[in-house]
Amino acid sequence: MNDKRSQYVQSLIKTLKRDFRETAGSTGIEAPDERVLEAIRKVPRDRFVPDRDMGMAWENTALSIGYGQTISQPFVVALMTQLLELTPESRVLEIGTGSGYQTALLGELAGEVYSIEVVPELAAQAETRLRELGYDNIRVRSGNGRRGWPDAAPFDAVIVTAAAEDIPPALVEQLRPGGRIVIPVDTGWYGQDLLLGIRTEDGQLDTRSVLPVVFVPLVGKEGGK
Ligand code: SAH
């Protein structure tokens, strides 16, 4: 890692630690895990943003990636990743590959990653990038993520990086008992809440609200738009 890049990363990590502290009242999490920070140090975020925004790649901000979509803010990415409590054995399903940045972090922390993106061009770009970076434990496919990836289920963790009106039932069904889902859900009032759900032995989902967030919408509701 060159000096300049390592300075940018240090500065981002400092900001992330501050954001974790400042939101702890809502999230219940005081600090980022060392494993999550290590993954953030390792994944070159500059490879996942458009060339024109290269200078912004290590800022704690969301950036446009085309097709009306964004690469999420690093703090939110770190928080969501941490909530999944991944181990090197975990099998993870991600809905909303986008740039593939979050996907790469999952690839660093989990055993197997399955990621679905509805915009075929974004899925193809992310797949190429992730392959170039050497992630052989990640599979990307294009399609409507609301149906999940039944052939690869059950998953230890599911992460959705676009906001839904409620939690798509197929995603809960594809979670193992004790498995975790992290998903932004419309509050029905204003904005969205990041929810953490843990599947119980009897197939129910225990959920708690973690933090107000802003995500692009999860498209492809059956019978909807
Ligand atoms: N984690 C990504 C976030 C991208 S924004 C990143 O940091 O780069 C959310 C993504 O979800 C967009 O790329 C959007 O096209 C995708 N998306 C929206 N609805 C979807 C659906 N039903 N199935 C799969 N992907 C969806």
Side-chain angles (χ1 to χ4, degrees), residues 65 69-72 77 94-102 116-119 122 143-146 161-162 216-220:
I65 55 170
Q69 306 304 332
T70 55
I71 175 171
S72 306
V77 172
E94 177 188 43
I95 311 303
T97 319
S99 66
Y101 175 67
Q102 167 82 73
I116 309 177
E117 168 56 53
V118 76
V119 177
L122 288 176
N144 185 351
R146 287 175 184 267
T161 66
V216 297
L218 186 72
V219 300

Side-chain angles (χ1 to χ4, degrees), residues 46-169:
D46 40 78
R47 294 283 297 273
F48 294 85
V49 304
D51 288 347
R52 61 159 198 282
D53 285 336
M54 207 73 108
M56 299 277 284
W58 296 98
E59 299 288 319
N60 186 26
T61 174
L63 294 166
S64 167
I65 55 170
Y67 307 93
Q69 306 304 332
T70 55
I71 175 171
S72 306
Q73 182 196 9
F75 164 62
V76 176
V77 172
L79 177 65
M80 290 174 83
T81 306
Q82 183 147 332
L83 288 165
L84 297 176
E85 297 192 353
L86 301 173
T87 74
E89 284 76 46
S90 304
R91 292 158 47 80
V92 192
L93 173 66
E94 177 188 43
I95 311 303
T97 319
S99 66
Y101 175 67
Q102 167 82 73
T103 324
L105 291 175
L106 300 173
E108 292 287 342
L109 294 164
E112 286 171 40
V113 182
Y114 297 82
S115 187
I116 309 177
E117 168 56 53
V118 76
V119 177
E121 292 85 350
L122 288 176
Q125 280 173 24
E127 195 174 16
T128 305
R129 250 180 220 142
L130 292 164
R131 199 181 40 236
E132 283 170 4
L133 290 168
Y135 291 99
D136 54 11
N137 60 343
I138 295 176
R139 287 180 63 192
V140 178
R141 97 177 172 197
S142 179
N144 185 351
R146 287 175 184 267
R147 299 184 204 115
W149 194 315
D151 296 350
F155 298 99
D156 300 295
V158 175
I159 175 171
V160 183
T161 66
E165 49 307 305
D166 46 38
I167 305 178

Side-chain angles (χ1 to χ4, degrees), residues 9-31:
V9 179
Q10 290 284 89
S11 152
L12 174 61
I13 287 190
K14 227 170 123 185
T15 307
L16 296 182
K17 288 182 175 166
R18 190 202 58 205
D19 281 4
F20 269 82
R21 266 198 313 276
E22 287 180 352
T23 53
S26 174
T27 64
I29 301 177
E30 293 287 337

